[in-house]
Amino acid sequence: KQAAREAGAHEAWLVDPAGFVTEGASTNAWIVDAQGRLRTRDTGANILRGVTRKVLIALAAERQIPVLETPFTVDEAKAASEAFITAASAFVMPVVAIDGHPVGDGTPGPVALRLRALYLSEARKTAV
């Protein structure tokens, strides 16, 4: 994560020996694929079982937004229409570039922004 920060990035994504993104240094990694499906690594791969990730999967299911817990490569992430990270400290944070390569049009995408708004709304409703 320090190397990512020194390179001007907010987060580093970890990649397994097979070339698949596992997670961020302190976040869960997501993409929106060409079919509009959310993709994130399955927790069977021993990734962070984030509370934000869990809530987001439930919110997506309630709204019939398909979620695939399936691996993706860095190249797939770069080619995705959107990418984002989730964490308790970041909620749903759009990723606009990976290794200097713009994701989508290089701006926060509508899916990530909608999911962020849904997550924040749910958090406000359930806060104690």
Side-chain angles (χ1 to χ4, degrees), residues 21-112:
V21 174
T22 57
E23 60 193 334
S26 59
T27 61
N28 289 112
W30 301 72
I31 62 170
V32 179
D33 68 17
Q35 291 77 36
R37 302 173 299 192
L38 305 180
R39 288 177 55 191
T40 190
R41 191 69 181 254
D42 66 284
T43 56
N46 293 322
I47 67 163
L48 177 69
R49 288 166 170 75
V51 172
T52 307
R53 177 187 183 280
K54 182 178 178 180
V55 170
L56 195 65
I57 288 172
L59 289 171
E62 289 172 8
R63 285 150 183 86
Q64 299 178 349
I65 301 169
V67 177
L68 300 176
E69 293 182 81
T70 182
F72 56 86
T73 66
V74 173
D75 286 340
E76 286 177 301
K78 288 177 180 178
S81 59
E82 297 182 47
F84 59 93
I85 57 174
T86 58
S89 60
F91 312 124
V92 178
M93 180 68 62
V95 172
V96 297
I98 298 171
D99 295 335
H101 178 84
V103 176
D105 67 4
T107 63
V111 175

Side-chain angles (χ1 to χ4, degrees), residues 103-121:
V103 176
D105 67 4
T107 63
V111 175
L113 293 175
R114 178 178 179 220
L115 292 171
R116 181 177 177 84
L118 288 170
Y119 179 83
L120 290 171
S121 175

